[in-house]
Amino acid sequence: MSTSTFDISKLNLQVIDASMNMFPDIFVNATGITFTKRVLEELNYPAHIQYSSDTDNKVFGIKACRGVDKGAQPFSKPRGEQTTVFSCSNKNIMEPVREMMKGIWKDKKRYKVTGIALDNKTMIFVLPEVVEQEFREQKGDSSED
């Protein structure tokens, strides 16, 4: 065993939260959009959000809001109760996102986009900055290996 000159008394080990992504990413695929827990965390687990888009700049956005606000959609449970990611498969949300990804979109792929927090209530996702990944099909889906 080797002896180290490392000073153990200066250690400050922090617990790593294995349930939380490092970045506020969304994953877009043929079945919907998945928001990582980091997105929920950065927006403080809002119960409702408004989906928005800027089609000229190909930007998809979400903004925390009250449930009575125009366009409010259910989003997250409170911190501590939200144990998983949030997924949206609403075709009225998916169609504009896929349209903004025209020319990028390929079937059987999924796309990761890291969010940019504009403030503690609003996050945007610049769709031309997607990272293409293989789509992992769920059990029971037909797949070609």
Side-chain angles (χ1 to χ4, degrees):
M1 196 176 239
S2 68
T3 306
S4 175
T5 58
F6 184 77
D7 185 356
I8 294 173
S9 68
K10 295 188 182 207
L11 279 176
N12 182 21
L13 293 175
Q14 304 286 323
V15 173
I16 298 170
D17 185 351
S19 70
M20 187 75 65
N21 290 60
M22 182 175 275
F23 300 105
D25 297 327
I26 61 171
F27 293 91
V28 182
N29 62 42
T31 61
I33 301 171
T34 300
F35 297 84
T36 62
K37 280 185 69 180
R38 178 60 66 187
V39 172
L40 282 64
E41 173 78 21
E42 290 202 14
L43 295 180
N44 200 26
Y45 295 87
H48 294 88
I49 61 166
Q50 296 165 318
Y51 294 99
S52 58
S53 66
D54 176 336
T55 56
D56 292 338
N57 291 299
K58 298 182 188 307
V59 173
F60 171 64
I62 58 173
K63 181 178 181 180
C65 67
R66 296 175 304 145
V68 295
D69 291 344
K70 180 181 179 184
Q73 296 290 310
F75 193 62
S76 176
K77 296 176 185 172
R79 180 188 319 269
E81 291 180 35
Q82 184 72 37
T83 59
T84 62
V85 298
F86 177 82
S87 294
C88 171
S89 58
N90 184 321
K91 72 175 187 169
N92 296 324
I93 304 303
M94 284 301 301
E95 286 178 7
V97 169
R98 284 187 71 172
E99 185 62 30
M100 287 186 287
M101 293 177 69
K102 201 172 201 169
I104 299 169
W105 186 269
K106 295 177 193 165
D107 289 335
K108 303 277 184 182
K109 299 289 182 181
R110 77 175 190 162
Y111 299 90
K112 178 178 83 165
V113 188
T114 299
I116 301 166
L118 301 183
D119 54 42
N120 64 350
K121 290 185 173 193
T122 308
M123 188 169 290
I124 62 168
F125 303 90
V126 181
L127 297 176
E129 295 179 3
V130 299
V131 175
E132 181 181 299
Q133 301 179 326
E134 293 297 321
F135 179 58
R136 296 179 301 204
E137 296 199 42
Q138 301 298 315
K139 287 182 180 181
D141 286 350
S142 62
S143 64
E144 296 176 12
D145 290 353

